[in-house]
Amino acid sequence: MKARAFSYFRAATIEQALDAHALVGDDARFIAGGQSLVPALSLRLQAPRLLIDITHIGELRGVRREGGFLRIGALTRHCEMLSEPLIAEFAPLLQAAAPFVAHPAIRNRGTFGGSVALADPASEFPAMTLALDAEIEIAGPSGSRRIKADDFFIDLFETALQPGELITAIYVPLFKADQRFAFDEMARRRGDYALVGCGMLATCAGDRINDIRISFFSVGNTPTRVKGAEATLIGSSLNSERIAAAQAALEGDLAPPENDEVPPAMRLHLARVLLGRLLGRLGESA
Amino acid sequence: MSGFDENLLDEADETVRVRFVVNGRKVACEVAPRETLVDCLRNELELTGTHAGCEMGACGACLVQLDGRAVHSCLMYAVQADGARIDTIDGLSESGVIADLQAEFHRRNALQCGFCTPGMLVNANELLSQVAEPSREEIRDALSGNYCRCTGYEAIVDAIDAVAKARNEGGSAT
Ligand SMILES: Cc1cc2nc3c(=O)[nH]c(=O)nc-3n(C[C@H](O)[C@H](O)[C@H](O)COP(=O)(O)OP(=O)(O)OC[C@H]3O[C@@H](n4cnc5c(N)ncnc54)[C@H](O)[C@@H]3O)c2cc1C
Ligand code: FES
Ligand code: FES
């Protein structure tokens, strides 16, 4: 099927993009990589009157250090997560997740900002912003603000982003020498959305875990931090007993929805297996 | 300065002029904003080597190179590509840069109906430009977004594997 007719405007600045959206309102959509929006328009799930192309806005590009953060521009493509040295050094969890996002050609176009804005609960990057305690920078008609990932994801495809607001960058706290990370997912085929996926970032003193943030995707309506499991691990060292306790805690942390393909009990089981595997790897990466 | 002209909204059905460099030649054409790049290439420019299958990013038949990188031409509108350099299977064939891949696909029966082949070749070309000697696992991973309904993939992986090895040895695969 083909998209309904729309007009196209290529914005040169953030201001132009915001102004155009403000004028047209609900009937306007920003387009970044288009790797989710174009299929949605082809299927006529959406039929905007105006597409505002944001990919030529220089201010949304680039990856650089800023204070204790890595500032990752919204237009950073998935493929750059794999090739950009600053990401490898200061946000290695994102680099580890990137190969699991779609297929190479989709990674050549899809953007980090677009993935976070869409907030697909089966997507890798939105969940990783939670594990990383990242902050999302948003520009809107009334100015710019920064919001913690913890406060950003609200419900199924629903975020703190108001209509007409633009994600300009994502700020990730710089990876430190006393930190460790792990990432993996289970999917039926390579490149498919995961049945269950998980990423984690721990701050350690020797074998002791001083802090850990664990985030799952494909387990419910939003990317989900498992705070019960985190609490069983903080303050102790990683041994098989603690890992089992964390796995058991998932029962209280996750409530996978009814689904014909993957029943909730199976998803919970897969989540436990994945958590055990990743905590094991975290222990080995000392 | 807003830069946005509200009159644009009344012109959704009208065509706009776009220019790109396709297979090394400068071209201009008139497209409706909703016309995908694959439709523009096939219908306006009559470059029918690029195939349109699922038209939603799932099958990989429509891959082209945009400014040197493989992208799905069904997942972008022609207007988005205004000013870009596009190389399609037609151009890659003419220039000879993938002649060894094509010969090896032919030799190993890595195509039957040929519908998936343009996408497979664009993808293989990009893989070999990034990884000199990919493992079979890496080849399969790179092809994960390209469907083939005929061959069962094995011969396609064989062909790419053979070309990678031959290129490294500085010879031809056959
Ligand atoms: C076959 C296929 C498989 C895929 N597999 C995966 C997968 O395994 N994992 C995964 O995570 N993704 C997957 N994707 C989706 C892909 O990663 C998309 O690139 C991503 O979800 C959206 O990024 P985009 O830049 O393409 O956004 P677009 O499609 O351009 O936009 C998506 C939405 O976000 C809005 N938007 C975009 N940028 C901004 C911004 N800066 N500020 C505010 N709003 C914005 C748009 O208005 C739109 O509503 C897949 C896609 C396809 C076609
Ligand atoms: S036609 Fe583009 S991926 Fe199938
Ligand atoms: S050769 Fe027929 S689809 Fe691949």
Side-chain angles (χ1 to χ4, degrees):
Chain A
M1 206 163 22
K2 309 286 179 191
R4 264 231 327 251
F6 53 77
S7 301
Y8 170 85
F9 172 60
R10 188 180 274 191
T13 62
I14 292 175
E15 200 189 342
Q16 282 189 359
L18 295 177
D19 283 352
H21 206 299
L23 276 168
V24 178
D26 282 352
D27 278 339
R29 289 286 180 288
F30 297 123
I31 182 164
Q35 305 298 286
S36 294
L37 188 60
V38 175
L41 299 195
S42 296
L43 293 167
R44 301 209 174 184
L45 300 173
Q46 297 183 37
R49 287 173 69 204
L50 177 69
L51 283 196
I52 303 165
D53 188 345
I54 62 171
T55 57
H56 294 263
I57 303 177
E59 303 152 88
L60 302 182
R61 289 201 176 283
V63 179
R64 62 172 190 266
R65 284 180 69 164
E66 218 179 275
F69 292 88
L70 195 63
R71 181 190 192 276
I72 305 176
L75 289 179
T76 304
R77 308 230 186 246
H78 302 338
C79 61
E80 293 174 77
M81 292 290 186
L82 289 163
S83 62
E84 168 59 53
L86 286 170
I87 304 261
E89 188 174 355
F90 296 115
L93 180 59
L94 291 177
Q95 192 192 37
F100 294 88
V101 180
H103 314 286
I106 288 166
R107 294 199 290 267
N108 284 345
R109 295 280 303 159
T111 67
F112 191 32
S115 178
V116 173
L118 185 66
D120 187 323
S123 267
E124 289 81 1
F125 289 141
M128 293 314 100
T129 64
L130 282 178
L132 290 165
D133 198 14
E135 294 175 22
I136 292 136
E137 183 185 68
I138 297 170
S142 49
S144 182
R145 62 197 164 103
R146 250 162 90 164
I147 176 168
K148 288 242 181 209
D150 276 324
D151 302 320
F152 185 76
F153 302 102
I154 294 171
D155 206 338
L156 190 62
F157 296 111
E158 189 187 335
T159 67
L161 208 58
Q162 298 300 310
E165 285 187 330
L166 203 56
I167 294 181
T168 44
I170 288 113
Y171 286 76
V172 175
L174 298 178
F175 185 69
K176 295 174 205 66
D178 60 353
Q179 289 186 314
R180 300 180 206 168
F181 67 94
F183 178 94
D184 212 345
E185 69 179 48
M186 296 176 182
R188 288 216 164 89
R189 289 172 309 187
R190 187 65 159 170
D192 276 7
Y193 283 101
L195 296 170
V196 172
C198 178
M200 57 183 68
L201 181 73
T203 308
C204 308
D207 266 350
R208 198 186 122 97
I209 294 185
N210 284 338
D211 194 18
I212 188 164
R213 295 173 65 95
I214 306 174
S215 179
F216 275 88
F217 50 99
S218 278
V219 290
N221 282 353
T222 60
T224 309
R225 255 182 82 193
V226 288
K227 294 185 183 169
E230 290 172 3
T232 63
L233 297 163
I234 293 172
S236 37
S237 57
L238 262 185
N239 51 44
S240 52
E241 184 200 322
R242 282 292 96 198
I243 294 178
Q247 286 173 305
L250 286 186
E251 179 118 42
D253 285 327
L254 299 176
E258 274 304 331
N259 177 297
D260 288 345
E261 268 180 78
V262 192
M266 175 177 161
R267 227 186 267 274
L268 193 59
H269 171 74
L270 293 177
R272 277 196 214 101
V273 171
L274 189 58
L275 182 66
R277 236 179 244 174
L278 289 176
L279 288 172
R281 276 189 224 160
L282 205 63
E284 287 160 17
S285 68
Chain B
M1 190 197 76
S2 110
F4 174 67
D5 176 1
E6 272 181 277
N7 292 325
L8 198 61
L9 287 178
D10 304 323
E11 296 164 6
D13 277 322
E14 289 175 25
T15 58
V16 290
R17 194 166 179 78
V18 294
R19 291 184 180 76
F20 13 69
V21 177
V22 180
N23 298 328
R25 279 185 287 272
K26 282 189 192 167
V27 297
C29 56
E30 299 282 333
V31 295
R34 66 162 154 172
E35 189 164 340
T36 55
L37 181 59
V38 64
D39 284 346
C40 173
L41 290 170
R42 291 179 56 87
N43 302 339
E44 317 304 331
L45 302 176
E46 297 183 353
L47 291 167
T48 51
T50 303
H51 291 164
C54 65
E55 300 187 81
M56 49 188 282
C59 75
C62 65
L63 290 180
V64 299
Q65 280 184 358
L66 179 83
D67 293 325
R69 298 298 295 261
V71 304
H72 294 88
S73 57
C74 74
L75 290 187
M76 65 186 294
Y77 300 108
V79 279
Q80 291 176 278
D82 188 24
R85 180 166 57 86
I86 297 155
D87 293 284
T88 69
I89 190 65
D90 316 77
L92 294 172
S93 300
E94 255 173 57
S95 72
V97 286
I98 55 166
D100 52 353
L101 275 167
Q102 288 170 308
E104 202 58 22
F105 266 57
H106 184 217
R107 201 175 76 85
R108 292 176 182 264
N109 289 327
L111 66 156
Q112 288 174 30
C113 78
F115 191 81
C116 69
T117 315
M120 290 288 180
L121 289 169
V122 170
N123 209 341
N125 184 43
E126 170 149 314
L127 173 67
L128 296 187
S129 71
Q130 290 177 346
V131 191
E133 196 160 325
S135 65
R136 291 183 72 85
E137 201 48 43
E138 284 173 302
I139 295 172
R140 284 192 170 274
D141 193 32
L143 297 181
S144 64
N146 289 70
Y147 284 7
C148 176
R149 292 274 138 140
C150 305
T151 66
Y153 302 99
E154 205 57 27
I156 296 174
V157 178
D158 289 345
I160 297 170
D161 187 33
V163 169
K165 293 199 168 95
R167 283 189 187 179
N168 284 331
E169 284 158 19
S172 81
T174 34

